[in-house]
Amino acid sequence: MSHNRAVAYKGPGEVEVIDIDYPTYELKDGPGVNPANVGRQLPHAAILKVVTTNICGSDQHMVRGRTTAPTDLVLGHEITGEVIDTGPGVEFIKKGDLVSVPFNISCGRCEMCKTRRTEICLNVNPDRPGSAYGYVDMGGWVGGQAEYVLVPYADWNLLKFPDRDQAMEKILDLTMLSDIFPTGFHGAVSAGVGPGSSVYIAGAGPVGTAAAVGAQLLGASVVIMADMNADRLANAATFGCETIDVSQEDPRQGIARILGREEVDCGVDAVGFEARGHGKDAKEAPATVLNTLMDVTRAGGALGIPGLYVTGDPGGVDEAAQEGSLSLRLGLGWAKALSFTTGQCPVMKYHRQLMEAILHDKVQIADAVNAAAISLNDAPAGYAKFDSGVATKYVIDPHGVTGKVQPV
């Protein structure tokens, strides 16, 4: 077997399905691969036939040209697959296993991994702590929006589904375990959501929706979702969220309308560095969401910040934004003694429990995010539709195994 096709970034606003090498147990040179990683031997890896791989908002940041991603970088960090081969160092994962792949690549050996901080593994990315498939500055591991993908440290990284038939029945839910469901859940957990909490979630896209589902699972009494996209807000209302259209209503006024007071217990940023200001025809203002969360979260509260922030943004609104420097009202956050949790979600901290919640019908995350399976060939159209703001989470099915593929 030697063929493989994948979705690659070709320049701002453009992706294309291209032919790439079939995976081997060596990390080869290619777009975005750190030179120190070239030639790295991977006897601990497994080769997966990709069952599902999702288009993520983080991918869209690259495709919009808002990062330093190189041309021909193979995209995709949300991966579910079938193990079809294993390296000689793999002991427990077996051929035929159906597995979820955490988007964080981690070694299981370093100090961070041993303390469950798999999002900042020290051994997989020479550039900085932490790594991911198909993402800029993350070490150059080939992305999973492909027919086949390599997963290093397979025994450590892969979450095996206990029953294949049961998993395939719920595959559009389980595909969310690779990133957005744990990421949204992590945002809710790090914001301190618990029974009876009131929660303000900025951003009603897939991660914000996952945060809302996670907050409900944690026992929140009121989940308020804020956005400017009417379709996404309407979707949030279908599963019990209150909504604020921040193009029409001030967040404090909206919270007061819903709660009878102007502050919430917990705040979640599911927008990130391409945030816009509030009000009609608002322009990009990247610190807006973080400053709003500090304003509307009660004293002593916490902010979960799963929204992506970067150190290099060629399209930033000014020189400061282009290097990830934002004008934060840190004095306000300090005065209110707010806690902040930033960074990637440590997926392995949550994915097994969330898998059980899916398998035992405690959550229907695919319905909440309006998951839609599409073919690999239709991935460019899926990117374009997702970028237009539709309330849909596109799930690429490269081999047509879900039986649910539909045209974009």
Side-chain angles (χ1 to χ4, degrees):
M1 189 179 298
S2 59
H3 68 280
N4 195 12
R5 296 190 308 147
V7 181
Y9 170 67
K10 302 298 286 187
E14 184 180 0
V15 298
E16 183 180 318
V17 179
I18 65 171
D19 293 322
I20 65 169
D21 291 339
Y22 186 80
T24 65
Y25 295 104
E26 177 184 327
L27 187 54
K28 298 178 181 179
D29 197 8
V33 179
N34 187 291
N37 259 352
V38 175
R40 187 169 181 161
Q41 299 301 302
L42 307 168
H44 43 68
I47 297 173
L48 271 56
K49 175 183 177 181
V50 175
V51 172
T52 55
T53 176
N54 315 328
I55 297 175
C56 179
S58 297
D59 298 321
Q60 287 285 19
H61 291 306
M62 289 189 290
V63 173
R64 292 186 190 119
R66 298 300 298 269
T67 72
T68 55
T71 300
D72 286 330
L73 180 74
V74 173
L75 302 170
H77 55 272
E78 300 189 7
I79 309 163
T80 304
E82 177 188 354
V83 177
I84 59 173
D85 194 47
T86 58
V90 178
E91 184 177 1
F92 304 111
I93 289 293
K94 303 298 183 185
K95 182 177 179 179
D97 287 346
L98 194 62
V99 295
S100 178
V101 184
F103 82 89
N104 323 110
I105 303 171
S106 57
C107 71
R109 296 154 165 81
C110 71
E111 177 185 359
M112 293 297 100
C113 287
K114 289 177 180 178
T115 56
R116 303 184 78 187
R117 298 299 305 273
T118 55
E119 81 280 20
I120 45 175
C121 174
L122 303 177
N123 288 332
V124 288
N125 182 3
D127 286 320
R128 64 185 69 175
S131 189
Y133 304 89
Y135 214 86
V136 59
D137 295 332
M138 287 294 182
W141 300 90
V142 178
Q145 288 175 11
E147 293 174 321
Y148 302 94
V149 69
L150 187 82
V151 175
Y153 305 102
D155 281 330
W156 167 254
N157 280 304
L158 295 177
L159 174 66
K160 177 184 174 181
F161 299 139
D163 182 276
R164 183 185 182 90
D165 292 339
Q166 181 191 30
M168 287 305 299
E169 289 177 3
K170 297 179 179 292
I171 194 64
L172 291 186
D173 294 285
L174 294 171
T175 191
M176 306 305 164
L177 291 173
S178 57
D179 181 359
I180 66 159
F181 195 12
T183 292
F185 190 76
H186 176 63
V189 169
S190 55
V193 177
S197 297
S198 57
V199 189
Y200 178 93
I201 299 173
V207 169
T209 300
V213 172
Q216 292 172 338
L217 191 61
L218 289 164
S221 60
V222 182
V223 177
I224 302 169
M225 297 196 72
D227 206 298
M228 297 179 172
N229 184 307
D231 290 341
R232 290 181 170 181
L233 290 172
N235 180 65
T238 65
F239 62 96
C241 296
E242 301 288 343
T243 63
I244 299 174
D245 183 342
V246 292
S247 70
Q248 306 293 328
E249 186 175 24
D250 176 78
R252 271 190 169 262
Q253 293 175 349
I255 291 168
R257 169 177 56 79
I258 295 164
L259 297 181
R261 61 181 189 275
E262 293 187 344
E263 292 183 328
V264 294
D265 298 319
C266 314
V268 178
D269 174 4
V271 176
F273 73 102
E274 288 192 65
R276 295 165 62 188
H278 296 151
K280 187 177 181 181
D281 300 322
K283 305 299 183 182
E284 186 171 317
T288 298
V289 168
L290 293 172
N291 286 330
T292 297
L293 288 173
M294 286 189 280
D295 183 41
V296 304
T297 303
R298 64 167 174 80
L303 310 183
I305 308 173
L308 175 67
Y309 289 87
V310 295
T311 57
D313 173 13
V317 294
D318 52 36
E319 289 186 7
Q322 288 168 14
E323 65 174 16
S325 296
L326 308 182
S327 298
L328 298 180
R329 293 188 64 194
L330 190 58
L332 175 62
W334 189 92
K336 297 176 77 172
L338 299 174
S339 301
F340 299 70
T341 300
T342 65
Q344 296 179 30
C345 163
V347 170
M348 292 174 68
K349 184 176 180 179
Y350 307 107
H351 66 171
R352 186 174 300 277
Q353 297 94 321
L354 295 177
M355 175 187 73
E356 295 290 350
I358 289 169
L359 293 177
H360 297 284
D361 297 318
K362 299 300 181 184
V363 290
Q364 288 76 41
I365 184 66
D367 288 344
V369 299
N370 286 323
I374 63 174
S375 71
L376 185 66
N377 287 337
D378 275 348
Y383 267 95
K385 289 282 286 187
F386 186 43
D387 196 45
S388 74
V390 296
T392 302
K393 175 72 170 176
Y394 288 106
V395 176
I396 301 169
D397 176 357
H399 299 278
V401 298
T402 65
K404 300 178 180 180
V405 171
Q406 53 188 279
V408 177

